[in-house]
Amino acid sequence: MLHFAWQNLASRPARSILALLGLTVAITGMVGLFSIAVGLQRTVGKTFDRIPGLAAMQPGAPIPLFSRMPAAWAEEIREVPGVSVVRPELWTRAQMVDGKMTFNPPRFLFGTDIPTTLQMKSAVYRDDIQAGRFLELADVGTNRCVISEAIARDSSKKPGDIIKVDGNLLEVIGVYKTGSILLDVAIVIDQSTLRQLYRMDPAIISSVYIEPVEKMSPDELSKAIREKFRGRSLGKWQPSADTIAGLSGRAEATLADKFVAGLSGLSDLAKPRKPSTANSSTAGEVLLAGGEKPSAEVISGENTVADSGDAEEGLEVRSARDWGTKIQEFSSDLDIFMYLMSGIGVVIALLSILNTMLMSVTERMTEFGILKANGWSSWDLLRLIAYESAALGLIGGILGCTLGWIGTLVVNASIPDKLNLYASPGLLLFSLAFSMALGVLGGLYPAMWATRLTPMEAIRRS
């Protein structure tokens, strides 16, 4: 039966090839599109699995880069029971690296507190050194830095070289690689040096990383810290005009940019905001929500109640699980787009197979009549046509999965710092099974139509 079905397909090569092309294109597109969503989830998982602690930042800020909070609050967080290590962090955008603009992909300067970083049990960047070494106590106040392997490759730098960042000369002492495109974008430098180079207010930090003591529940610790700062008048972060332009105004935005945009809730950007009048990394002023300067109470960290009178959270504390939930919400919208685009290809492929099998059945009515006259049952004819359409689905699925998988490898090799596609074995097996089901479904109607005819009716129709 299978041999007979294959001979029937081979006897009409042009029509069979056209049906295969339609199905192959549809499956290739499905693999390619869903590998984006799978790659995003895999990247996020790889990223946040490396961050077991908590991040405290300004309420509403999508990532620490956009957060500003009083440096004095870090000392208060240390007093909370269950806290092991508290590391103040300072982030800013690097506009130019070695004379090249860093819009795509983005680059960031991470001002770390070296003493507390060395005390941590687990620390991203410190534990991922590939060449050279990480920052030590002797590097406090110096222009030494650690860069990612991606930055080192783009700038042709290695430990011992000098790299120019926004006009500042930094000595590279180490190269790290985390394997996550969301993390391999930073230039790590001593926090005090970053403040001096970019004239940042010493009373302000971007965020605080908190490492809990052993057996301390992150959820309980997060709740305790939030309660301690509830009612503080820090102000909820809102995207400024510069932020909007930086995230959504570029057609060539990277996955990291889109990730930030998704967390920022950029769907609300149409609402009027008070634009910021300065950039903290260029004008030397650190701004809070809506471009407003921090008040004296906020800088000093005094326990003042918000003007609204409500006990709003003055500090947002997130765990890796919280970040994962945010990403799932963002990727669910992305999945809808993937389903819509894949659905178009699936409909085209289904119509192509349906047309092929319908024409094949119509042309072979005499053959079916003779077969039924020689003892073939309706079930035998149904199986024959189902085998033919399933063979089209299987071959189209194999070709589509192969091309889709090769395409993801080519994209990842071409732009490793901007996109990370992943055609998982589960996705490939699902696509192959779906292709076969699509092929059988396309041949179902012609098969049922042919089996209802008697031998004489089949011969007379032909």
Side-chain angles (χ1 to χ4, degrees):
M1 182 74 72
L2 289 174
H3 181 68
F4 193 20
W6 176 253
Q7 283 184 327
N8 290 332
L9 290 175
S11 65
R12 297 167 177 83
R15 187 172 297 155
S16 298
I17 290 175
L18 289 176
L20 280 176
L21 286 177
L23 188 58
T24 300
V25 170
I27 298 302
T28 300
M30 186 171 72
V31 172
L33 287 173
F34 281 100
S35 66
I36 298 176
V38 175
L40 175 60
Q41 294 174 357
R42 187 167 178 258
T43 298
V44 170
K46 183 187 297 184
T47 300
F48 296 121
D49 285 346
R50 300 291 317 279
I51 308 175
L54 301 172
M57 64 186 76
Q58 183 180 355
I63 57 175
L65 174 68
F66 303 120
S67 169
R68 293 294 181 265
M69 57 182 287
W73 286 11
E75 298 299 326
E76 294 187 53
I77 294 175
R78 285 191 177 95
E79 300 172 359
V80 177
V83 172
S84 175
V85 179
V86 173
R87 180 182 67 185
E89 299 179 345
L90 196 61
W91 289 87
T92 188
R93 179 76 179 257
Q95 304 297 332
M96 297 189 69
V97 176
D98 265 7
K100 299 178 183 178
M101 299 295 293
T102 61
F103 285 134
N104 190 18
R107 302 302 183 201
F108 305 101
L109 282 159
F110 172 41
T112 185
D113 185 72
I114 297 178
T116 53
T117 300
L118 297 178
Q119 296 173 13
M120 296 170 60
K121 293 182 180 179
S122 175
V124 178
Y125 305 137
R126 186 200 67 185
D127 301 336
D128 301 285
I129 296 296
Q130 300 291 311
R133 62 174 179 84
F134 190 71
L135 298 170
E136 299 174 352
L137 293 177
D139 301 314
V140 174
T142 68
N143 282 29
R144 297 172 186 147
C145 69
V146 175
I147 63 177
S148 70
E149 186 181 68
I151 298 176
R153 182 178 62 252
D154 293 342
S155 304
S156 300
K157 301 297 181 183
K158 61 183 185 300
D161 293 341
I162 300 297
I163 187 170
K164 189 175 183 180
V165 182
D166 294 338
N168 302 304
L169 299 180
L170 306 178
E171 179 187 354
V172 178
I173 63 171
V175 176
Y176 74 86
K177 180 181 179 181
T178 66
S180 169
I181 60 175
L182 300 178
L183 294 175
D184 291 342
V185 293
I187 300 171
V188 187
I189 191 173
D190 174 54
Q191 194 171 116
S192 61
T193 301
L194 183 60
R195 291 187 187 280
Q196 181 181 4
L197 294 179
Y198 288 82
R199 301 185 300 279
M200 292 183 171
D201 193 326
I204 294 295
I205 55 177
S206 297
S207 59
V208 171
Y209 181 79
I210 305 155
E211 192 172 71
V213 297
E214 292 185 8
K215 299 182 180 181
M216 179 65 185
S217 170
D219 292 337
E220 294 180 3
L221 182 58
S222 173
K223 182 179 179 180
I225 296 174
R226 291 200 309 269
E227 288 298 325
K228 181 178 180 64
F229 291 90
R230 186 176 296 277
R232 304 283 183 102
S233 57
L234 183 57
K236 186 176 179 62
W237 180 88
Q238 298 290 354
S240 66
D242 293 338
T243 303
I244 297 173
L247 291 181
S248 60
R250 299 194 306 275
E252 53 185 17
T254 65
L255 177 61
D257 293 325
K258 295 173 184 177
F259 164 73
V260 171
L263 295 181
S264 305
L266 291 182
S267 59
D268 295 330
L269 292 184
K271 299 178 182 179
R273 308 288 187 193
K274 181 179 178 181
S276 61
T277 57
N279 186 298
S280 61
S281 62
T282 57
E285 293 184 344
V286 178
L287 307 181
L288 292 180
E292 298 178 356
K293 296 181 180 180
S295 63
E297 291 82 1
V298 170
I299 294 177
S300 63
E302 296 178 5
N303 191 2
T304 58
V305 180
D307 295 337
S308 62
D310 298 329
E312 299 179 353
E313 290 190 1
L315 198 61
E316 189 167 326
V317 184
R318 299 178 184 174
S319 64
R321 187 172 60 184
D322 297 331
W323 287 104
T325 302
K326 284 276 189 179
I327 293 301
Q328 288 178 355
E329 295 173 357
F330 172 60
S331 62
S332 62
D333 296 334
L334 184 62
D335 288 342
I336 296 175
F337 172 77
M338 303 301 179
Y339 284 123
L340 290 176
M341 296 301 296
S342 297
I344 296 174
V346 166
V347 170
I348 295 174
L350 180 61
L351 292 176
S352 176
I353 293 176
L354 180 61
N355 176 72
T356 298
M357 298 309 300
L358 189 59
M359 294 299 294
S360 175
V361 168
T362 302
E363 293 175 356
R364 296 157 56 196
M365 294 305 294
T366 300
E367 175 187 330
F368 293 151
I370 295 173
L371 289 174
K372 294 192 75 172
N374 281 275
W376 276 47
S377 65
S378 297
W379 172 246
D380 291 330
L381 288 180
L382 185 65
R383 285 171 55 203
L384 175 64
I385 299 173
Y387 284 158
E388 293 177 12
S389 58
L392 288 175
L394 176 61
I395 298 173
I398 292 175
L399 292 175
C401 291
T402 302
L403 292 177
W405 175 67
I406 293 175
T408 60
L409 297 181
V410 172
V411 171
N412 290 338
S414 302
I415 48 175
D417 303 332
K418 304 175 185 178
L419 201 61
N420 184 14
L421 308 183
Y422 182 61
S424 65
L427 175 61
L428 294 176
L429 289 175
F430 171 79
S431 300
L432 182 60
F434 183 79
S435 178
M436 289 187 63
L438 194 62
V440 173
L441 184 62
L444 186 61
Y445 170 72
M448 294 180 65
W449 177 54
T451 57
R452 288 199 301 263
L453 301 177
T454 65
M456 290 304 298
E457 287 177 331
I459 295 174
R460 187 166 50 250
R461 281 178 178 270
S462 64

